[in-house]
Amino acid sequence: LLPLYTNCLLKSDAIAGGSDLGCDDRAFSMCCVSSMDVASSVVYFYPRLIPLHDVNPDETHVPQQIRCTVEKLSDNGVYLLENGIHMLLYVGLAVNPAWIQDVFGVQTAAQIDIDRTRLVDRDNPLSRRITGIIQSISSNRPRSMKLTIVRQRDKLEIVFKHFLCEDRSVASDSSFSYVDFLCHMHKEIRAILS
């Protein structure tokens, strides 16, 4: 896990920043990181990506997180990404209309109001389960997180993909994907040993 967290650390807003990140935002990130405990910093550098489209309404625990890469996303999926500061709800365009109706109260993903910062608790088990997961995650974080709804192929999708730390950074050409970083580290170690 050391190469994974090293790569995530090098790509983080607090360390690397980026051309699209203002100096105030970078200073905020640096200040947040300097005051985080270990558990919070682990989630900050490697965000949790939780699939919500296949949750069982009868269960009570938070679903298992998946790897933080675009390869794990599907067009018919809904994913919650949180890093202790930001909470993003990614909705694919091919999500089951019944799921969309139960959780958002509209027919299709295109009709979802992305300006909402919280989900309305509707009178059905799936809606209560999804809002319960979001409330459970929020209550375990020391700072309040605003929910941002991101539809697939919308302008905010680039913000969502910025937090997928195993992928190559969209904002910077100099950062590696996790696999590229492992290959680079392996090459450097071989050069040192020979």
Side-chain angles (χ1 to χ4, degrees), residues 90-111:
Y90 180 84
V91 182
L93 290 178
V95 176
N96 183 347
W99 198 97
I100 297 285
Q101 181 65 45
D102 286 349
V103 176
F104 294 103
V106 295
Q107 301 295 318
T108 64
Q111 296 173 326

Side-chain angles (χ1 to χ4, degrees), residues 79-121:
Y79 304 90
L80 184 69
L81 185 139
E82 66 95 10
N83 70 353
I85 295 176
H86 305 282
M87 181 180 279
L88 305 166
L89 184 64
Y90 180 84
V91 182
L93 290 178
V95 176
N96 183 347
W99 198 97
I100 297 285
Q101 181 65 45
D102 286 349
V103 176
F104 294 103
V106 295
Q107 301 295 318
T108 64
Q111 296 173 326
I112 296 171
D113 181 10
I114 61 170
D115 294 328
R116 291 203 148 171
T117 57
R118 59 184 298 270
L119 293 180
V120 175
D121 196 4

Side-chain angles (χ1 to χ4, degrees), residues 3 6 179-191:
T6 303
V179 174
D180 294 340
F181 185 73
L182 277 179
C183 292
H184 174 72
M185 291 302 295
H186 180 70
K187 190 187 309 180
E188 292 293 321
I189 290 170
R190 286 188 60 164

